[in-house]
Amino acid sequence: MEGGFGSDFASGGGGGGKLDPGLIMEQVKVQIAVANAQELLQRMTDKCFRKCIGKPGGSLDNSEQKCIAMCMDRYMDSWNTVSRAYNSRLQRERANM
Amino acid sequence: GGSGTAMDPPSGAGLGGADPQLQRFIEVETQKQRFQQLVHQMTELCWEKCMDKPGPKLDSRAETCFVNCVERFIDTSQFILNRLEQTQKSKSAFSESLSD
């Protein structure tokens, strides 16, 4: 059954051609989150390659893969520890102002 | 007076135009990003200093090292800015007395 389809479309998100700031803010937040994830992955890859791969062979052997897996988890642990420590320091500094 | 370290809030002035909601959003997100960037940077630096071979968990010695590392990094940043401020002050006093 048709009916009401056209009007539903037109009434959504601010109508006409106006930009919805709420939508823009959400999209920006997503882009920022993606950028942060990429940054994290890039640094993690660098660090874990250095720790786990000696002389590069023809493929990643089992021990190398296990090392990389553990390294990833430890890197995340480290990141979280640093994040908490930095946050605590910021709170302390603000409390002292 | 504050030294411009990793502690200062950004101004975000001029961005977001007339919309105060957007302006506020930009300020908040900029602040968050500065925080994130420093965490990335410190994690990388402190990993080099605190992590030997990655094990099944982060042991307490490594964890303590990371916490100390963060604190000392921020201390270093503040120290540098404070000393730079002092050196600049004494330099300008010196060059004034030299007026040629």
Side-chain angles (χ1 to χ4, degrees):
Chain A
M1 309 282 165
E2 68 273 329
F5 186 69
S7 57
D8 287 341
F9 243 54
S11 61
K18 259 180 26 199
L19 292 172
D20 176 10
L23 189 63
I24 291 173
M25 293 195 286
E26 284 312 305
Q27 286 177 340
V28 168
K29 279 188 188 172
V30 167
Q31 286 177 346
I32 289 173
V34 168
N36 271 320
Q38 283 177 341
E39 179 109 42
L40 184 66
L41 283 181
Q42 190 177 16
R43 293 178 195 238
M44 180 193 280
T45 303
D46 183 275
K47 293 304 176 193
C48 294
F49 183 84
R50 286 174 199 270
K51 286 281 182 206
C52 295
I53 312 299
K55 191 103 185 195
S59 66
L60 290 177
D61 65 43
N62 274 334
S63 63
E64 285 169 332
Q65 288 184 34
K66 269 170 95 170
C67 179
I68 293 168
M70 270 201 301
C71 179
M72 287 172 69
D73 291 343
R74 299 297 74 73
Y75 195 83
M76 280 314 309
D77 292 341
S78 305
W79 199 96
N80 288 329
T81 302
V82 168
S83 180
R84 279 194 305 266
Y86 185 35
N87 197 45
S88 301
R89 175 62 179 257
L90 285 176
Q91 312 271 52
R92 223 177 311 138
E93 296 279 333
R94 284 191 197 129
N96 288 340
M97 276 190 204
Chain B
S3 46
T5 64
M7 302 291 150
D8 297 345
S11 60
L15 299 169
D19 185 343
Q21 191 191 19
L22 216 48
Q23 181 126 333
R24 179 71 192 141
F25 171 77
I26 288 169
E27 280 172 21
V28 168
E29 289 303 316
T30 305
Q31 178 109 304
K32 280 186 192 171
Q33 262 315 96
R34 291 180 81 199
F35 179 87
Q36 291 280 76
Q37 276 307 115
L38 242 95
V39 174
H40 283 310
Q41 186 186 358
M42 288 190 284
T43 302
E44 198 166 14
L45 284 168
C46 298
W47 177 272
E48 290 307 318
K49 297 200 179 288
C50 297
M51 190 58 85
D52 297 316
K53 191 114 174 108
K57 71 178 200 70
L58 200 66
D59 69 51
S60 57
R61 216 177 44 167
E63 177 141 12
T64 304
C65 182
F66 275 103
V67 173
N68 288 338
C69 181
V70 169
E71 296 283 344
R72 300 299 74 74
F73 181 86
I74 294 169
D75 289 344
T76 304
S77 173
Q78 289 177 337
F79 183 94
I80 287 171
L81 278 146
N82 286 334
R83 189 164 183 280
L84 196 68
E85 209 178 310
Q86 286 166 26
T87 334
Q88 298 288 55
K89 278 184 191 159
S90 62
K91 264 192 189 151
S92 50
F94 185 63
S95 57
E96 272 161 17
S97 71
L98 278 184
S99 55
D100 228 52

